[in-house]
Amino acid sequence: MGALNMIIKSEFQPQYAHLSPYFEEIKTIFANDTQTIHKARNELKIISLDEEKMVVKSFQIPHLLNRIVYSFFRKSKAYKSYHNALHLTNLEISTPTPVSYVEFYSANLLKNSYFISLYNPYDFTIREALHHKCDDYSDVLRQFAAYTYDLHQKGVWHLDYSPGNILVQRMEEGYRFSIVDINRMAFREITPFEGCENFNKLWARDEDIEIMGREYARLSGLDETVAISEMKRHNNANKRVKNFKKRLKKVLRGDFSDPA
């Protein structure tokens, strides 16, 4: 259970109550497991708990100021991931089934936190379609635009709507899209015009924006020219910001070579 001053806070869905002993030990279980599927600021591992295949996300330990903020003023990323997943499930929007979140506090300040969900099988992410690595990419992108419109109709705004966070599974008819990395979301009314901005982090080619824009316009009633123009504008603005940040980082490292 860790040090004597360690406090554990967690929630879990009732049907997973039998796994509660694992939740309390998740920090140790995670540290000892080797099946990492992603590691950057946060780390994801596939872990079997009582023979049930889970994805466990360990969030980076916050710096001191954020430890105070997350302990007393704001909900943690693990908490928001779990509760956003519950809300999405209620809206019948596909996301890996939430199981639990677990927070570990030391000296009354948040330290380690975890979000646990069922493993969600998928064939590829939307990135493969955007990079034209699948023959049916135009169909995928068209149906993805329809999926995004459905999100917006249900008042869901994914703030990290980037290629790696959109999973795609081929079905007998069409595709099943699921969203992950959902701790940063907003739930509000979204107009079709505003909705065009939500495609901005896809880093899409103009021809692909046109595919998605035509479908989004058809479903929403927005003028097709306006939809495509807005999507391109937001997409290009995001590219400029990201490229500027890359150049700035190179300069700060003392690298004055031309961009690749």
Side-chain angles (χ1 to χ4, degrees):
M1 296 294 290
L4 292 177
N5 66 340
M6 183 69 73
I7 298 172
I8 302 174
K9 296 181 181 179
S10 73
E11 289 182 43
F12 50 81
Q13 293 213 64
Q15 63 267 40
Y16 300 108
H18 63 287
L19 298 176
S20 59
Y22 294 98
F23 303 151
E24 294 179 2
E25 297 294 337
I26 198 63
K27 184 164 69 167
T28 301
I29 293 170
F30 190 91
N32 292 335
D33 191 274
T34 59
Q35 295 191 70
T36 297
I37 57 174
H38 176 78
K39 186 173 184 179
R41 285 178 302 172
N42 309 311
E43 185 172 5
L44 281 77
K45 293 183 178 182
I46 297 176
I47 298 177
S48 292
L49 302 180
D50 196 25
E51 299 185 353
E52 295 194 60
K53 197 174 184 180
M54 308 280 180
V55 172
V56 182
K57 183 172 186 177
S58 171
F59 290 91
Q60 182 181 47
I61 297 174
H63 57 68
L64 180 58
L65 178 59
N66 275 348
R67 289 185 68 190
I68 295 170
V69 169
Y70 286 129
S71 299
F72 301 108
F73 303 106
R74 292 172 59 186
K75 301 298 185 183
S76 73
K77 293 180 180 180
Y79 177 101
K80 287 188 285 189
S81 295
Y82 176 75
H83 282 276
N84 284 347
L86 290 176
H87 189 50
L88 291 173
T89 301
N90 289 335
L91 291 172
E92 298 184 341
I93 292 171
S94 179
T95 191
T97 301
V99 174
S100 175
Y101 81 88
V102 190
E103 300 170 340
F104 293 85
Y105 290 76
S106 178
N108 292 320
L109 296 180
L110 177 68
K111 190 173 183 183
N112 304 90
S113 58
Y114 303 85
F115 169 54
I116 305 170
S117 61
L118 292 186
Y119 174 76
N120 187 89
Y122 65 98
D123 296 310
F124 54 94
T125 68
I126 201 69
R127 179 180 285 113
E128 279 65 39
L130 290 166
H131 289 179
H132 297 188
K133 291 184 177 180
C134 50
D135 293 337
D136 54 347
Y137 73 87
S138 60
D139 290 334
V140 174
L141 295 177
R142 193 175 298 108
Q143 290 193 33
F144 169 67
Y147 169 79
T148 305
Y149 175 69
D150 183 58
L151 290 187
H152 295 165
Q153 285 293 99
K154 293 175 178 177
V156 176
W157 187 268
H158 194 331
L159 289 161
D160 288 317
Y161 207 47
S162 56
N165 292 336
I166 301 149
L167 313 181
V168 187
Q169 184 178 18
R170 287 192 173 91
M171 310 298 285
E172 286 187 11
E173 293 186 8
Y175 310 89
R176 179 174 181 258
F177 300 92
S178 297
I179 46 178
V180 296
D181 202 1
I182 55 173
N183 59 284
R184 295 181 64 241
M185 306 199 81
F187 299 98
R188 59 177 177 81
E189 184 176 337
I190 301 162
T191 68
F193 187 80
E194 290 173 318
C196 294
E197 182 182 352
N198 212 188
F199 294 81
N200 70 330
K201 293 183 179 179
L202 297 178
W203 208 270
R205 312 177 194 198
D206 282 355
E207 63 189 271
D208 295 336
I209 291 175
E210 289 168 7
I211 292 171
M212 294 183 287
R214 283 193 292 271
E215 182 67 6
Y216 194 85
R218 184 183 72 81
L219 294 169
S220 68
L222 191 63
D223 180 85
E224 186 177 293
T225 303
V226 171
I228 292 172
S229 175
E230 278 299 290
M231 286 186 188
K232 287 182 178 180
R233 182 173 72 84
H234 288 294
N235 190 56
N236 291 333
N238 182 65
K239 287 179 180 179
R240 285 195 298 272
V241 170
K242 291 293 179 64
N243 285 329
F244 172 77
K245 288 180 178 179
K246 287 180 182 178
R247 289 194 296 270
L248 182 60
K249 286 180 181 178
K250 288 183 69 174
V251 170
L252 293 176
R253 290 197 305 264
D255 182 354
F256 297 97
S257 61
D258 292 333

